[in-house]
Amino acid sequence: MDNDNFNQIPANVSTIADLFDTKHISWGEYQEHLPYPGFQGYNYSNQETYANDYVRKHNPLVLFDSVTKNSTRLRQIKNFTNFEDDLTDKKLPQYAFITPNMTNDAHDTNITFAAKWERSWVSQLLDNSYFMDSTLLLLTFDEDKTYPKGNKIMSILLGGAIPDDLKGTTDDTFYTHYSIIASMSANWGLPSLGRWDCGANILEIVANKTGYVNYDVDTTNLRLNETYPGPMSAGEYSKYSPVWPNPLTSGNCSAGHGILDIVKETYKGTTATYNYTSPFPYDSKSGYNVKVTATKKSASNNGSSSSSTPTPNVAVPFGTPAVGTISGVLMGLLFCLY
């Protein structure tokens, strides 16, 4: 998607909601200044200043028909008032996607303004014993807007799920946003969507418990700032195509739990559009990221690389991960700034 149009994705395209439902994992979205739960409008302006507050483009699941045409799922898209109520009542879901409004998320202001707002809002949560109990809070961005430099962003992990020995440390493992989906699948024993989450690296905090060994990715020639051809491409930054890409329907994924059944049933007999077992997105037809290489890390030390020669991405071998039992349950909250 390379535009801000009123896009809608057909119901045969699965989402993380489908993954969560396989294990009855509770989930929700909290969108600041969403006028009411399940609102599907394009935006909602500040009623005093008329500045943009809530915008649909920053609300991922409302784009999917499989969510909006399901009243139960639609009600799980709430606002910040609902978040405060759920926090007070100790009824937060196991996973939540949280988005501030266009002012507080830095989109219409700047990072200094957003950082001050975020510090005030998040600090209160970190002092809440209920919230902190086994919680992993990810603060992240969608992009950095330095497109020629490969679109690298900083993310911060907070919460009670962080082991003492990892507090204050940095992790230079290569991740994409798909790594979050793969990490949740590994943590909760969920299948893959058969998209780029299938081969994505898993957050080390989870990988170290499941036994999965991540890949080192040489990012010298990597670009993660392009949109693939498809129905939601406007033609300005990528080529429009009326055809929706097909997912993978069989094979091993980094989380170790196969492909979602409804994906296998819906796309049975089709060929995956891309090599979704790669730890990074690429497209051999357009030449996008085809010069990027990946090398399996040392199994004895998931934080260091093996000494083997980097393998071209089209030939990276993906074996069956060694999945173990994760002690405790992580409550995942994704706090996204724009």
Side-chain angles (χ1 to χ4, degrees):
M1 186 168 70
D2 61 358
N3 57 79
D4 295 338
N5 298 336
F6 196 97
N7 294 300
Q8 203 71 28
I9 302 171
N12 65 344
V13 178
S14 297
T15 73
I16 57 173
D18 297 294
L19 300 184
F20 293 146
D21 284 355
T22 64
K23 287 289 185 72
H24 305 290
I25 301 296
S26 59
W27 61 271
E29 282 192 343
Y30 296 98
Q31 304 282 319
E32 188 175 20
H33 290 146
L34 183 81
Y36 55 82
F39 176 73
Q40 298 181 55
Y42 185 78
N43 71 305
Y44 187 76
S45 300
N46 186 299
Q47 298 302 290
E48 295 181 359
T49 66
Y50 297 102
N52 271 333
D53 269 354
Y54 164 80
V55 289
R56 185 175 179 274
K57 65 180 180 179
H58 289 174
N59 182 355
L61 287 177
V62 82
L63 303 179
F64 292 84
D65 285 346
S66 62
V67 173
T68 59
K69 293 184 178 181
N70 182 315
S71 59
T72 300
R73 289 180 172 181
L74 193 59
R75 285 195 300 269
Q76 290 164 227
I77 300 177
K78 308 176 183 180
N79 57 33
F80 273 28
T81 300
N82 300 125
F83 177 85
E84 296 297 336
D85 292 341
D86 290 346
L87 178 65
T88 300
D89 295 339
K90 298 184 178 181
K91 293 183 178 180
L92 286 175
Q94 289 168 274
Y95 166 85
F97 186 95
I98 304 171
T99 310
N101 64 29
M102 293 282 278
T103 298
N104 295 330
D105 71 359
H107 188 283
D108 291 352
T109 50
N110 54 58
I111 190 61
T112 301
F113 183 97
K116 290 181 179 178
W117 179 90
E118 174 272 326
R119 183 181 183 89
S120 174
W121 197 80
V122 172
S123 293
Q124 299 177 57
L125 298 177
L126 300 182
D127 289 333
N128 186 305
S129 59
Y130 160 70
F131 178 86
M132 287 289 285
D133 186 20
S134 299
T135 296
L136 184 65
L137 173 63
L138 170 65
L139 303 181
T140 191
F141 296 82
D142 65 335
E143 60 184 356
D144 68 357
K145 292 191 176 181
T146 56
Y147 301 136
K149 297 182 180 180
N151 198 27
K152 295 182 179 180
I153 61 172
M154 181 190 74
S155 297
I156 302 174
L157 291 176
L158 303 167
I162 304 293
D164 289 339
D165 63 322
L166 292 182
K167 293 179 180 178
T169 64
T170 59
D171 180 4
D172 61 358
T173 304
F174 172 81
Y175 299 118
T176 67
H177 286 102
Y178 298 104
S179 295
I180 309 307
I181 301 177
S183 298
M184 292 190 297
S185 291
N187 181 61
W188 282 312
L190 308 176
S192 167
L193 291 170
R195 306 285 181 175
W196 291 112
D197 63 308
C198 180
N201 276 345
I202 295 173
L203 293 178
E204 293 282 333
I205 190 175
V206 178
N208 288 339
K209 293 185 178 182
T210 64
Y212 181 74
V213 180
N214 282 317
Y215 281 82
D216 274 328
V217 177
D218 184 347
T219 61
T220 304
N221 299 306
L222 182 72
R223 295 292 180 270
L224 293 176
N225 47 27
E226 295 184 19
T227 300
Y228 290 91
M232 293 195 296
S233 297
E236 182 176 358
Y237 300 104
S238 61
K239 185 178 180 180
Y240 171 80
S241 170
V243 181
W244 294 90
N246 292 330
L248 189 70
T249 57
S250 63
N252 298 316
C253 296
S254 54
H257 302 286
I259 308 294
L260 183 67
D261 284 343
I262 189 63
V263 170
K264 292 189 290 186
E265 295 170 7
T266 301
Y267 294 91
K268 182 179 180 180
T270 65
T271 301
T273 304
Y274 303 107
N275 177 17
Y276 295 112
T277 58
S278 168
F280 56 88
Y282 76 93
D283 179 17
S284 57
K285 289 185 178 180
S286 66
Y288 181 53
N289 285 336
V290 295
K291 295 182 179 180
V292 181
T293 57
T295 309
K296 198 74 168 177
K297 289 186 175 185
S298 170
S300 60
N301 184 356
N302 212 0
S304 61
S305 302
S306 64
S307 58
S308 61
T309 303
T311 308
N313 56 36
V314 293
V316 172
F318 293 86
T320 303
V323 178
T325 302
I326 301 174
S327 59
V329 176
L330 302 183
M331 179 188 292
L333 287 102
L334 183 63
F335 185 96
C336 194
L337 299 175
Y338 291 83

